[in-house]
Amino acid sequence: MRERREGEDDKVAFPELFFDLVFVFSLIQLSHTLAGHYSLMGALEALLMILAVWWVWIFTTWVTNWLDPDRMPVRAMLFALMFGALLLSTAINDAFGDKALLFAISYVAMQVGRSLFTVYAMHGHSPDNARDFLRITCWLILSGVFWIAGALIGGEAQLFIWIAALTIEYVSPAVGFRVPGLGRSEFDDWDVLGAHMAERCALFVLICLGETILVTGRTLAEMEVTPLVFVLAVSSFGSTVTMWWIYFRFGQERAAAQIESDESPGEVARTIFTYAHIPVVAGIILCAVADEFVLAHPHGAIDLKTASAIIGGPIVFLAGNVWIKSSVAPGLSVSHLAGIGLLVLAAPLAFVVEPHVLLIISFIILVIVAVWEYLTLKSVR
């Protein structure tokens, strides 16, 4: 099986786009689960689900960074992963209940199966990459023991065992997937197609933003049209558009260019795409939950869950963008940090304003961030 090459092969292929479709359902399940079980424990469980779904997706993206999805065996692998992701997604709502084992088995089968396939696909023409994925497989098998054990044990212990499983997986890239007898991976030697990785992650962010539009549209369709509902529709949709602008206008292309020109592209790609996109994705999902809360109950006193979603979603989103942009350009994004500060200052308003007012305020702050960054970077060009 041939690998991707620079140039024409670094574009996202149709099988990859088809693979992404199942994650639309995953994100819908995640936002519904978080909205329906919005508490400290529910948020922790939802965060674990988000991290697991992201890890499945980003690991597959790394694989298709090297393997050509237009080759039939790679396509078959992607289709098998799609079915696994479909099963995984159906289990999200009850992953800490009756469907724990379905979630765990689907997840482990996808992670370990994909890595073993990659070892097989690369062993003949790229032994170094095959050895890297053999190391990765060892780590995934280790974490898989915890996933299955947590599902079988259940109860209060399940969450902590699954946290241990995710910790193993998230720590593994940071230590180079070191395995006794196999050594560790050197990310300086990883050949990364920066344009491909950047486009893949950008498409996932688009899926997340699209999910917020679905939530807004579905909720509005069940409501009577009034001036307030129209204003809320503008605020919700406007927030989605503004988040698109903040992420795509100055961040995504710079990330691709930085990886293409960096002497250690694997190291930069690991930071930007494997880790730094997590708060971006989580923040967008939280914003979708906030829209659902406010559109359903725009009046009255603001409870803690609504306030935390309205303020917390944009904060987490902006923090992720700070991480990405500071990784590809010197210094931190002042506009983003100012936006986080304004959102923190706006938090006490939850005690004196109604939910729809706080949502409008958060939207205005996002617009301020977008305009500030645009004018600043335009002036230095």
Side-chain angles (χ1 to χ4, degrees):
M1 262 168 277
R2 70 182 176 90
E3 296 183 70
R4 285 179 179 265
R5 301 185 183 96
E6 290 286 347
E8 64 178 8
D9 286 342
D10 62 359
K11 296 297 182 181
V12 175
F14 286 117
E16 294 174 278
L17 297 175
F18 188 47
F19 169 76
D20 287 349
L21 289 179
V22 73
F23 287 90
V24 175
F25 178 51
S26 299
L27 291 169
I28 290 173
Q29 290 288 85
L30 286 169
S31 65
H32 285 182
T33 300
L34 181 56
H37 303 86
Y38 200 98
S39 62
L40 182 59
M41 184 60 69
L44 186 58
E45 292 175 355
L47 176 60
L48 190 147
M49 297 292 101
I50 291 171
L51 293 175
V53 169
W54 170 256
W55 215 233
V56 166
W57 185 87
I58 193 63
F59 264 46
T60 305
T61 297
W62 273 102
V63 167
T64 55
N65 178 73
W66 287 294
L67 298 182
D68 184 359
D70 286 329
R71 303 290 290 183
M72 187 56 67
V74 181
R75 284 187 179 184
M77 181 266 294
L78 288 175
F79 296 157
L81 289 175
M82 284 182 69
F83 181 70
L86 180 62
L87 295 178
L88 182 84
S89 300
T90 61
I92 286 175
N93 282 338
D94 201 19
F96 289 88
D98 294 337
K99 294 184 178 179
L101 193 58
L102 175 61
F103 183 93
I105 291 175
S106 300
Y107 182 85
V108 174
M110 292 172 68
Q111 293 288 73
V112 175
R114 181 194 53 243
S115 294
L116 285 174
F117 173 86
T118 309
V119 173
Y120 162 76
M122 290 184 166
H123 80 280
H125 57 80
S126 184
D128 288 339
N129 279 339
R131 193 176 300 109
D132 285 335
F133 276 92
L134 184 58
R135 298 184 184 103
I136 292 172
T137 302
C138 292
W139 280 85
L140 292 175
I141 290 174
L142 175 62
S143 67
V145 173
F146 285 83
W147 282 108
I148 302 298
L152 291 174
I153 294 172
E156 296 181 357
Q158 178 184 339
L159 175 63
F160 298 101
I161 296 173
W162 280 9
I163 288 175
L166 266 185
T167 300
I168 291 170
E169 295 190 23
Y170 272 77
V171 167
S172 59
V175 298
F177 302 104
R178 182 184 295 276
V179 175
L182 293 176
R184 62 168 288 157
S185 299
E186 298 298 334
F187 290 100
D188 291 348
D189 299 330
W190 284 29
D191 295 324
V192 179
L193 301 178
H196 175 258
M197 291 294 293
E199 188 175 358
R200 293 296 291 123
C201 288
L203 288 170
F204 195 87
V205 172
L206 278 178
I207 292 173
C208 294
L209 292 171
E211 203 276 330
T212 66
I213 294 175
L214 288 176
V215 169
T216 301
R218 185 183 64 249
T219 307
L220 289 173
E222 300 174 355
M223 301 176 67
E224 181 183 353
V225 179
T226 65
L228 176 60
V229 168
F230 179 78
V231 171
L232 290 177
V234 170
S235 298
S236 298
F237 180 74
S239 294
T240 302
V241 173
T242 307
M243 286 190 289
W244 178 91
W245 179 272
I246 290 171
Y247 174 82
F248 281 94
R249 185 63 179 88
F250 295 109
Q252 190 262 349
E253 289 185 2
R254 289 188 173 191
Q258 176 68 21
I259 292 174
E260 294 287 0
S261 61
D262 199 272
E263 295 180 356
S264 303
E267 189 81 26
V268 177
R270 182 188 63 176
T271 299
I272 295 175
F273 298 123
T274 303
Y275 292 117
H277 272 73
I278 295 171
V280 173
V281 170
I284 294 172
I285 293 174
L286 194 54
C287 286
V289 172
D291 291 343
E292 187 171 349
F293 285 160
V294 176
L295 288 170
H297 303 286
H299 297 291
I302 303 180
D303 54 22
L304 179 60
K305 70 176 187 179
T306 302
S308 62
I310 294 173
I311 298 297
I315 287 178
V316 175
F317 172 78
L318 290 175
N321 278 274
V322 169
W323 192 355
I324 292 170
K325 293 175 183 180
S326 63
S327 297
V328 300
L332 294 175
S333 176
V334 176
S335 61
H336 293 33
L337 294 176
I340 292 173
L342 289 173
L343 286 163
V344 172
L345 292 175
L349 294 176
F351 295 104
V352 295
V353 300
E354 293 188 323
H356 69 275
V357 176
L358 192 63
L359 184 69
I360 294 170
I361 291 173
S362 71
F363 165 52
I364 292 172
I365 292 174
L366 283 175
V367 172
I368 291 173
V369 171
V371 173
W372 185 340
E373 181 184 45
Y374 175 74
L375 293 177
T376 301
L377 294 181
K378 184 180 179 181
S379 65
V380 299
R381 285 189 168 189

